[in-house]
Amino acid sequence: MTGPPVETTFGPMLGGDGRPGQLWAMLPRELAAVFRPRMLDVADEVLHEIQRTIPDYARPLEGAFGKALRAGVQAAILQFIDRIAASGPVPDERRKLFVGLGVHELAQGRNLDVLQAAYRVGARVTWRRMAEVGTRAGVPSATLCLLAEAIFAYIDELSALSIEGHAAAQARAAGARERRRRRLLDLLLADPPSPSRTVQEAAAAAEWPLPHRLVAVALAGPADVSGLGALEDFEDGPPRLLLPAPADRAALASALAGHRAAVGPPVPPRQAARSLATAQEALRLVPDVLPDEPLTWCEDHLATLWLRKEPFLATEVCRRRLAPLTALTPKQYNRLAGTLLAWLETCGNVREVAERLTIHPQTVRARAQELETLFADSLRDPDDRFELILALRATLT
């Protein structure tokens, strides 16, 4: 049925700046009375189209999901009609509904693309029906164009509310997860070790699969390690991380670029505290004892770290095994000690020793004869050779 034309003077204002506040003010209030009685069945039409075109919403509208979606569609349509009549902001109770839809999407493990697609479908169906009703009622085409602009501005407003809810829920979830992960890190680094069941439950709650082996990382300062999937603590005491082993050396070096750090040896979860203690000790020994490198891997320096851990025993080994060198001058000592270490580590390969020390092979042979005189049978006994290497590493590093 065609009704009397709706009087409006806003057709010429179509070229306005399109801001939502102006749109509502420009729409004639009497339009609400035209559309309200004819829009009662639009909600079901919108729901049908959403389910037809969006696979994520194609399941039966049952339970909390169906209730939330149906209530959202109905509230959106009714609120739009109310806004035409009153040009006011969205009431708090309806704001909560659309904010809640964003929260619901996060709980379902979805981003907002699906919900925003549903909003667009709803806007398209609603506009199609309102255009039909408005045309029959004699609403001027300029006003209908303005109405279309208002519909899509309104959908943007509802979408913003859902984004707000989604982001807030995401922040809360991230904060809760970080607290659980921090607790898991504290449990793993506890001394004595925490009960296995407690650690496993904490790992499940933190959504951090407990590896068979892990490494601890000690850092000189905070770093951005968001891409490593690590347990991290940059707040209480020296910065520390826990990572599944084996750690990707290239990825870790890239993530820690510009920061000095040390990676502890791989250990079972119950020994995480020991890996961290070793990493912290290694960090302390750089660059005076260990090489001056941004990222130190304890696996590469276990013998040195072991000797530094037992200084008394290391001193005794050095005193006993290197006694033949004590009568030499410091220059002679360093020259022969360095040659002896290279000789032992290369199993007496003259060419390798020469390349390592950048000296002539004949010089190596001459020094080897001198060492043979000083150490005699110790150079052939496996236990003596082992202790000699340890003593030389402790002395020369």
Side-chain angles (χ1 to χ4, degrees):
M1 181 179 69
T2 302
V6 176
E7 295 295 332
T8 176
T9 59
F10 297 105
M13 298 179 63
L14 188 57
D17 62 14
R19 289 181 296 181
Q22 288 190 344
L23 285 172
W24 297 116
M26 293 163 69
L27 287 170
R29 299 290 165 259
E30 55 268 31
L31 286 178
V34 173
F35 292 119
R36 193 183 302 277
R38 296 173 173 84
M39 299 297 291
L40 298 179
D41 59 343
V42 175
D44 288 336
E45 187 178 344
V46 169
L47 285 170
H48 174 76
E49 187 66 9
I50 287 174
Q51 289 191 289
R52 189 184 70 81
T53 59
I54 302 178
D56 290 81
Y57 293 155
R59 65 184 187 270
L61 296 178
E62 300 172 348
F65 165 78
K67 183 178 180 180
L69 186 57
R70 189 179 299 277
V73 170
Q74 292 174 340
I77 293 172
L78 291 174
Q79 175 60 31
F80 183 75
I81 301 298
D82 291 344
R83 290 285 289 276
I84 294 175
S87 186
V90 177
D92 286 343
E93 66 274 9
R94 289 185 179 170
R95 281 180 57 88
K96 292 177 182 177
L97 175 59
F98 298 110
V99 169
L101 286 175
V103 175
H104 180 270
E105 290 300 285
L106 181 67
Q108 297 301 310
R110 292 190 289 258
N111 59 31
L112 283 175
D113 292 346
V114 175
L115 181 60
Q116 289 177 327
Y119 279 143
R120 289 192 293 271
V121 170
R124 187 171 64 247
V125 172
T126 301
W127 160 238
R128 186 168 62 235
R129 178 56 63 87
M130 293 187 85
E132 293 172 358
V133 172
T135 300
R136 294 193 192 102
V139 177
S141 59
T143 302
L144 290 178
C145 290
L146 197 62
L147 183 67
E149 192 176 352
I151 288 175
F152 288 100
Y154 175 65
I155 288 300
D156 287 343
E157 184 178 346
L158 299 188
S159 181
L161 291 174
S162 295
I163 291 172
E164 176 187 328
H166 192 276
Q170 199 168 41
R172 288 193 297 271
R177 189 180 68 171
E178 288 307 311
R179 288 192 296 274
R180 295 189 187 107
R181 290 195 168 189
R182 173 60 188 280
R183 178 174 180 268
L184 174 60
L185 181 141
D186 289 339
L187 288 171
L188 286 168
L189 294 177
D191 189 15
S194 306
S196 296
R197 182 174 179 180
T198 301
V199 172
Q200 290 169 357
E201 291 174 350
E207 300 177 9
W208 198 77
L210 201 62
H212 294 297
R213 295 177 72 81
L214 51 75
V215 295
V217 182
L219 297 95
D224 182 6
V225 295
S226 54
L228 295 176
L231 299 179
E232 60 185 75
D233 176 19
F234 294 136
E235 297 179 1
D236 296 335
R240 51 193 184 160
L241 306 175
L242 289 180
L243 288 166
D248 185 324
R249 291 199 174 199
L252 192 55
S254 176
L256 298 178
H259 302 275
R260 190 178 293 279
V263 184
V267 296
R270 285 182 60 79
Q271 295 180 358
R274 293 188 177 184
S275 181
L276 179 62
T278 304
Q280 290 172 334
E281 175 66 7
L283 196 59
R284 188 181 67 81
L285 295 177
V286 175
D288 297 329
V289 175
L290 297 179
D292 188 5
E293 299 172 343
L295 185 58
T296 299
W297 293 83
C298 292
E299 282 185 301
D300 299 340
H301 307 283
L302 290 179
T304 301
L305 292 167
W306 179 28
L307 291 171
R308 289 284 170 172
K309 194 69 175 178
E310 299 292 344
F312 170 75
L313 295 180
T315 300
E316 285 301 299
V317 170
C318 293
R319 182 187 63 78
R320 187 159 64 93
R321 288 299 169 197
L322 301 181
L325 300 177
T326 56
L328 304 177
T329 65
K331 184 177 180 180
Q332 291 173 323
Y333 182 99
N334 290 332
R335 185 187 68 201
L336 283 182
T339 303
L340 178 57
L341 180 59
W343 181 269
L344 292 170
E345 290 181 338
T346 62
C347 298
N349 188 305
V350 173
R351 187 172 298 279
E352 285 190 37
V353 174
E355 291 176 355
R356 182 182 295 193
L357 301 180
T358 62
I359 58 177
H360 195 277
Q362 191 57 40
T363 303
V364 175
R365 294 187 183 94
R367 292 182 186 179
Q369 290 178 355
E370 191 174 354
L371 290 168
E372 178 72 27
T373 301
L374 289 169
F375 289 92
D377 292 340
S378 295
L379 297 181
R380 287 174 287 278
D381 183 273
D383 291 337
D384 291 351
R385 288 169 64 94
F386 174 69
E387 290 190 6
L388 273 171
I389 292 174
L390 291 179
L392 289 164
R393 287 187 175 180
T395 302
L396 296 175
T397 54

